């Protein structure tokens, strides 16, 4: 157990819909990153938040957006869902002065 | 885009044998980390090795790093059936992101 939780566990949406995924960081961790993992692939970095500000972004379109709250919990929002958005979405939190990230169990999103 | 590439893509061994997985990357790095993932679940952090380190041990795990060759290896000694999982290397290049390879799928047969 890493202390990082994600909800929901599974989600099914249809193309064009919007989705919000949630992550609760490990206590004391002020940095959260989101990753997309397609089947059979490694995780791809979406973006990172540090103290409620976006602090780095991977090669994902603007319809992928996020929020980090004062309690360091976080959301990933995806608009105008496409079939290729079907994947496991992972969040990872990290404390200050440490390079180790702790991952949550992920949310499996299926877009039909 | 992915940074690391693991080799082999898949590895099948008998319980008790050693398993070696390799990772190559492209740019200079701050550190390299190895993770394990069971059946599409969350990733579990195994070990971190910094760019100024050459070898690290943790229990049955041994990691080496060769920055001149931009490569790393993960050795799991005396493997167990419970070690069956996918193993990923991830590089941290000071860019506020981590780049993962596609992973090595390890199967340990009892």
């Amino acid at each position: 157990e890493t202390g990082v939780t994600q909800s929901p566990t599974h989600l099914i949406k249809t193309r064009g819909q919007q989705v919000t995924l949630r992550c609760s960081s490990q206590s004391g961790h002020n940095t959260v990153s989101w990753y997309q993992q397609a089947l059979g692939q490694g995780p791809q970095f979406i973006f990172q938040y540090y103290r409620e500000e976006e602090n780095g972004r991977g090669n994902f379109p603007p319809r992928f957006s996020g929020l980090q709250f004062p309690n360091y919990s976080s959301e990933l929002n995806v608009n105008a869902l496409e079939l290729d958005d079907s994947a496991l979405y992972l969040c990872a939190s990290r404390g200050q002065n440490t390079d180790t990230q702790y991952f949550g169990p992920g949310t499996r999103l299926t877009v039909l | 885009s992915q940074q690391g590439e693991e080799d082999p893509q898949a590895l099948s061994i008998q319980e008790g044998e050693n398993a070696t997985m390799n990772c190559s990357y492209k740019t200079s790095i701050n550190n390299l980390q190895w993770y394990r993932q069971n059946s599409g679940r969350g990733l579990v952090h195994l070990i971190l090795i910094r760019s100024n380190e050459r070898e690290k041990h943790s229990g049955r795990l041994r990691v080496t790093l060769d920055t001149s060759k931009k490569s790393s290896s993960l050795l799991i000694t005396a493997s167990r059936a419970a070690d069956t999982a996918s193993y990923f290397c991830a590089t941290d290049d000071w860019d506020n992101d981590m780049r993962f390879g596609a992973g090595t799928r390890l199967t340990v047969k009892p």
Side-chain angles (χ1 to χ4, degrees), chain A residues 67-89:
Chain A
L67 282 173
Q68 186 183 31
F69 300 100
N71 66 355
Y72 302 135
S73 65
S74 175
E75 285 182 357
L76 164 65
N77 299 289
V78 187
N79 294 323
L81 284 167
E82 301 176 359
L83 297 180
D84 284 348
D85 295 334
S86 295
L88 181 69
Y89 288 85

Side-chain angles (χ1 to χ4, degrees), chain A residues 4 13 34 46 50-51 54 69 89-90 96 100-101 106 108 110:
Chain A
V4 180
K13 291 285 188 177
W34 284 90
I46 302 175
Y50 171 68
R51 292 185 175 179
E54 188 178 292
F69 300 100
Y89 288 85
L90 297 160
Q96 210 153 359
T100 300
Q101 293 189 92
R108 173 118 3 235
T110 302

